[in-house]
Amino acid sequence: MASLTPISQSQSLFNKTRCKIPPPKSLASPNLGSDFLLKKSSVSIPRMSTRVPMKAAGVVSATTAEKAKKRYPGESKGFVEEMRFVAMKLHTKDQAKEGEKEVKEPQERSVTKWEPTVDGYLKFLVDSKLVYDTLEGIVEKAPFPSYSEFRNTGLERSAKLAKDLEWFKEQGHVIPEPSAPGVTYAEYLKELSEKDPQAFLCHFYNIYFAHSAGGRMIGKKVAEMILEKKELEFYKWDGELSQLLQNVREKLNKVAQSWTREEKNHCLEETEKSFKHSGEILRLILS
């Protein structure tokens, strides 16, 4: 049986026989102690942090803030300017220099290329009166309190159209009943006014403001073609038109101040429907 050497003696033998490895020449300096060598040879592994650096966090916050503060065309001047901007884009180049829409319908061509008829013009006036009767009745009833802001603005057209239709009757013309485009639009306005004030006021704005601009130009050209330049009451206002329009702009901007951004966008999105219905009534002039 082999003898067992005591552990203390084995350890002593090991200490005597192990090799000593001299340090590299570059480190064998009398001025460098063992503490220095230990420090130089130790490896420091930084801990990983999951926190976003303060600078990066600031960039993220700024980006989020920029998105939240996104500016819409015309927004700095008030919501009516946003409405105007959207409306102008839906015109053709013939109708407005800001227009982007391609000409697809007869009434979208330049008025100088139109071939209006008296019977068609009468249909247009009758359907227009139905729409204005409806608008003025809704504002008077005011299913939403904000509508009352738009009573007696001076832009009302119903009474003026009544005078014009009476004049045509005196000239021997038969006044037709409202046709499908006017009836459909009037019913749509009634429905909107009861449940969707933002969409309704989009139509209110576009109907009155479009008539005060392009509508006047159309009336003048048509009168030259078929009415011996007769100026209808439909195209006359009591008072300074520019001031009447400015008063309504201010009221619309005031009402829109209480709307969320989503409600404003919803109002703007209704513009295309307003143009569609108005265009169908305008087309009657050429029928």
Side-chain angles (χ1 to χ4, degrees):
M1 186 172 181
S3 63
L4 297 176
T5 305
I7 293 175
S8 60
Q9 293 181 17
S10 299
Q11 185 66 42
S12 176
L13 290 171
F14 177 77
N15 289 338
K16 291 180 180 179
T17 58
R18 67 177 178 174
C19 297
K20 292 184 179 180
I21 302 173
K25 292 182 178 180
S26 60
L27 297 178
S29 170
N31 297 324
L32 300 178
S34 58
D35 287 343
F36 176 83
L37 293 175
L38 287 172
K39 290 178 182 178
K40 291 291 287 183
S41 61
S42 63
V43 178
S44 177
I45 302 176
R47 290 185 299 172
M48 298 298 291
S49 174
T50 57
R51 292 187 300 172
V52 178
M54 290 299 292
K55 185 176 181 180
V59 172
V60 172
S61 298
T63 303
T64 304
E66 286 173 6
K67 289 182 178 179
K69 295 180 180 179
K70 176 185 175 183
R71 283 287 186 179
Y72 289 78
E75 184 179 3
S76 61
K77 296 182 179 180
F79 186 62
V80 170
E81 185 63 16
E82 290 187 55
M83 298 171 80
R84 189 197 72 83
F85 182 87
V86 173
M88 295 310 293
K89 295 294 182 183
L90 292 176
H91 285 75
T92 65
K93 286 292 184 182
D94 286 342
Q95 295 170 331
K97 63 180 181 180
E98 299 169 69
E100 295 183 351
K101 186 179 179 182
E102 293 182 8
V103 176
K104 294 181 180 179
E105 302 293 342
Q107 76 275 7
E108 293 173 346
R109 295 179 299 171
S110 171
V111 182
T112 58
K113 300 176 183 178
W114 287 14
E115 295 180 3
T117 65
V118 174
D119 287 344
Y121 196 39
L122 270 174
K123 292 177 184 177
F124 163 74
L125 294 174
V126 167
D127 279 30
S128 294
K129 184 176 184 301
L130 177 59
V131 170
Y132 283 105
D133 285 345
T134 302
L135 283 173
E136 292 167 25
I138 290 169
V139 167
E140 188 62 34
K141 182 181 176 183
F144 284 90
S146 60
Y147 296 174
S148 61
E149 292 280 348
F150 305 102
R151 294 172 183 161
N152 304 316
T153 63
L155 298 182
E156 292 80 12
R157 299 290 87 195
S158 186
K160 299 285 188 180
L161 280 164
K163 291 182 180 180
D164 288 331
L165 292 174
E166 184 61 30
W167 178 83
F168 275 99
K169 188 176 181 180
E170 291 171 356
Q171 306 307 306
H173 295 284
V174 176
I175 308 302
E177 292 296 317
S179 60
V183 172
T184 300
Y185 198 10
E187 288 301 318
Y188 182 65
L189 289 172
K190 289 177 184 177
E191 292 174 9
L192 276 186
S193 68
E194 296 287 343
K195 62 182 182 181
D196 195 338
Q198 287 78 29
F200 171 74
L201 286 177
C202 172
H203 290 266
F204 179 93
Y205 163 79
N206 281 292
I207 290 170
Y208 282 109
F209 278 68
H211 178 65
S212 70
R216 284 195 298 164
M217 183 268 291
I218 290 171
K220 181 179 179 180
K221 291 293 182 182
V222 171
E224 291 173 357
M225 294 176 180
I226 62 175
L227 297 179
E228 298 180 349
K229 298 185 179 181
K230 162 73 176 178
E231 185 180 10
L232 298 181
E233 295 297 316
F234 190 28
Y235 305 101
K236 297 178 183 179
W237 286 264
D238 299 325
E240 188 63 37
L241 178 58
S242 60
Q243 186 58 54
L244 297 176
L245 292 169
Q246 181 57 29
N247 293 342
V248 175
R249 281 192 195 95
E250 291 174 0
K251 290 175 183 291
L252 284 166
N253 282 332
K254 176 184 174 183
V255 169
Q257 284 178 353
S258 64
W259 295 352
T260 64
R261 186 64 251 179
E262 289 73 20
E263 288 173 330
K264 289 179 179 179
N265 289 346
H266 175 60
C267 176
L268 297 176
E269 288 164 1
E270 189 72 16
T271 306
E272 194 165 353
K273 289 183 180 179
S274 175
F275 270 60
K276 174 182 175 293
H277 286 290
S278 295
E280 289 173 352
I281 294 176
L282 187 62
R283 191 187 307 165
L284 293 172
I285 297 176
L286 306 178
S287 63

